[in-house]
Amino acid sequence: MGNCHTVGPNEALVVSGGCCGSDYKQYVFGGWAWAWWCISDTQRLSLEVMTILCRCENIETSEGVPLFVTGVAQVKIMTEKELLAVACEQFLGKNVQDIKNVVLQTLEGHLRSILGTLTVEQIYQDRDQFAKLVREVAAPDVGRMGIEILSFTIKDVYDKVDYLSSLGKTQTAVVQRDADIGVAEAERDAGIREAECKKEMLDVKFMADTKIADSKRAFELQKSAFSEEVNIKTAEAQLAYELQGAREQQKIRQEEIEIEVVQRKKQIAVEAQEILRTDKELIATVRRPAEAEAHRIQQIAEGEKVKQVLLAQAEAEKIRKIGEAEAAVIEAMGKAEAERMKLKAEAYQKYGDAAKMALVLEALPQIAAKIAAPLTKVDEIVVLSGDNSKVTSEVNRLLAELPASVHALTGVDLSKIPLIKKATGVQV
């Protein structure tokens, strides 16, 4: 029995060994393979890109100038079956760092050999060509190990004897000199060319101004001639227009008069019809309604007269009935009052002066109330007097005069009553 092994696209699987001592080798990447137990061996090899930093220090060029060069290479193991088998023979069982070291030694050897054949200027000024040359020389050697150079670039080139800086200064000075000369020559040529352009511009401007003046003069002359001709034609046209306008106005006025005559005739006929219509309208809207209104008012007046007669008769009957009822009431009240007076007279006659005295005494409070009624509207009475007050004497005087006043009003002599006699101090 055995196992099924899988591998990704960034890794190669090598299955070696088999039944009956077979030396068959199977190379798989991005797939799977079957391996028998005990008799098959499986190993893996990375197919990922490897970055190698190549440093060559103090390497003399063809001119004997020592340089320090740093390059960066991107390499990987090729996946073609034959090349993959070669790479597996050489690198299987080694880690990635071991593979990098092998490739690094190869690249650095070729880089040193190439540096010895080139000048500093060739290396420094054309780095791409230098890197291309390294790739072309080293590719066959690393290819025989199953390695592919994906890219190789020169990262840095410098020296410790200031050769490159001196070369740069010289080149900079040359370039600066050429630039100054070029600027001066350009400014000189520009000034000359500017003066020539100004001269040409002024010549052209003067010629153009002359042509413009000639054209303007010819234009003004032609314009004056045209204006004169236009004014003549305009005057003739204006006169013809005014004459034709007067004729047309005359025709229009004649037509207007005829229209006014026709309108006046039509208006007279319309007014006559309007008079007839107004007459009929007055008959229909005034006379006939007036007659109808007069008849209606007459009927209403007759009905109102009958109504008033009936109302007067009813009112008279009501007054008569009320008078009869009131007369009966008055008669009954009179009889009752007569009977009451008769009985009162008999009582007065029977009791004599005592009865009269009782009546007067009963009426006195009512008389006093009527007399004092105005005083009810007075809130307060203040009596002012000196040291010798006469209030008491005045009160006594009023009490003494009271019987005489009552006797004058009623004919009853209150002085005969003992209590009043005592209060007033009257001597009989």
Side-chain angles (χ1 to χ4, degrees), residues 276-321:
L276 294 176
R277 187 193 66 78
T278 304
D279 189 17
K280 292 180 180 181
E281 183 178 358
L282 289 173
I283 293 173
T285 59
V286 179
R287 182 178 177 182
R288 296 297 171 79
E291 292 176 354
E293 183 66 18
H295 180 70
R296 185 181 68 81
I297 293 172
Q298 183 180 0
Q299 296 296 324
I300 291 172
E302 291 178 358
E304 187 67 25
K305 181 179 71 174
V306 174
K307 176 182 175 182
Q308 293 296 330
V309 171
L310 294 176
L311 288 174
Q313 292 176 357
E315 185 67 22
E317 185 65 19
K318 182 182 77 169
I319 292 170
R320 187 178 66 78
K321 295 291 185 182

Side-chain angles (χ1 to χ4, degrees), residues 221-290:
L221 292 174
Q222 191 69 26
K223 183 178 178 181
S224 300
F226 288 159
S227 298
E228 183 180 359
E229 185 178 356
V230 168
N231 292 333
I232 294 172
K233 295 296 183 182
T234 301
E236 293 176 355
Q238 183 67 27
L239 292 174
Y241 171 77
E242 292 176 358
L243 180 59
Q244 186 65 28
R247 294 174 181 173
E248 294 296 331
Q249 288 293 331
Q250 185 178 4
K251 291 181 181 180
I252 291 170
R253 182 55 186 165
Q254 185 176 357
E255 295 292 335
E256 287 178 352
I257 293 171
E258 294 178 357
I259 291 171
E260 289 176 0
V261 171
V262 173
Q263 288 179 348
R264 186 58 181 167
K265 291 180 180 179
K266 294 291 184 181
Q267 186 176 0
I268 292 170
V270 170
E271 288 176 356
Q273 295 295 325
E274 183 66 20
I275 291 170
L276 294 176
R277 187 193 66 78
T278 304
D279 189 17
K280 292 180 180 181
E281 183 178 358
L282 289 173
I283 293 173
T285 59
V286 179
R287 182 178 177 182
R288 296 297 171 79

Side-chain angles (χ1 to χ4, degrees), residues 81-305:
K81 187 174 182 180
E82 293 80 5
L83 297 175
L84 180 58
V86 173
C88 290
E89 289 176 1
Q90 300 184 34
F91 301 113
L92 200 60
K94 295 183 179 181
N95 56 29
V96 175
Q97 188 60 42
D98 293 337
I99 298 172
K100 285 184 177 181
N101 290 333
V102 173
V103 178
L104 176 60
Q105 296 300 324
T106 303
L107 290 175
E108 284 183 351
H110 288 293
L111 183 58
R112 287 189 183 94
S113 64
I114 293 172
L115 283 172
T117 62
L118 298 176
T119 63
V120 177
E121 287 80 2
Q122 290 174 336
I123 297 171
Y124 187 76
Q125 294 177 359
D126 196 355
R127 295 188 182 189
D128 292 339
Q129 184 64 28
F130 175 44
K132 181 180 178 182
L133 183 60
V134 174
R135 286 197 303 269
E136 291 176 352
V137 172
D141 290 342
V142 296
R144 285 191 289 271
M145 292 183 289
I147 302 296
E148 179 184 7
I149 299 176
L150 300 177
S151 67
F152 181 85
T153 58
I154 301 301
K155 182 179 179 181
D156 191 15
V157 177
Y158 66 95
D159 68 296
K160 294 184 178 181
V161 295
D162 296 332
Y163 183 88
L164 292 174
S165 61
S166 299
L167 183 65
K169 290 179 181 178
T170 303
Q171 186 65 27
T172 302
V174 172
V175 172
Q176 184 66 36
R177 181 200 61 193
D178 294 340
D180 293 339
I181 294 172
V183 170
E185 291 178 351
E187 289 178 352
R188 180 199 62 193
D189 296 340
I192 294 171
R193 184 58 184 165
E194 182 179 2
E196 292 177 354
C197 291
K198 286 184 178 180
K199 180 179 179 300
E200 293 177 359
M201 181 189 70
L202 293 174
D203 293 340
V204 173
K205 183 177 181 299
F206 293 151
M207 292 178 64
D209 291 341
T210 304
K211 291 181 179 180
I212 290 170
D214 293 339
S215 300
K216 187 175 182 181
R217 182 176 58 79
F219 170 74
E220 292 296 335
L221 292 174
Q222 191 69 26
K223 183 178 178 181
S224 300
F226 288 159
S227 298
E228 183 180 359
E229 185 178 356
V230 168
N231 292 333
I232 294 172
K233 295 296 183 182
T234 301
E236 293 176 355
Q238 183 67 27
L239 292 174
Y241 171 77
E242 292 176 358
L243 180 59
Q244 186 65 28
R247 294 174 181 173
E248 294 296 331
Q249 288 293 331
Q250 185 178 4
K251 291 181 181 180
I252 291 170
R253 182 55 186 165
Q254 185 176 357
E255 295 292 335
E256 287 178 352
I257 293 171
E258 294 178 357
I259 291 171
E260 289 176 0
V261 171
V262 173
Q263 288 179 348
R264 186 58 181 167
K265 291 180 180 179
K266 294 291 184 181
Q267 186 176 0
I268 292 170
V270 170
E271 288 176 356
Q273 295 295 325
E274 183 66 20
I275 291 170
L276 294 176
R277 187 193 66 78
T278 304
D279 189 17
K280 292 180 180 181
E281 183 178 358
L282 289 173
I283 293 173
T285 59
V286 179
R287 182 178 177 182
R288 296 297 171 79
E291 292 176 354
E293 183 66 18
H295 180 70
R296 185 181 68 81
I297 293 172
Q298 183 180 0
Q299 296 296 324
I300 291 172
E302 291 178 358
E304 187 67 25
K305 181 179 71 174

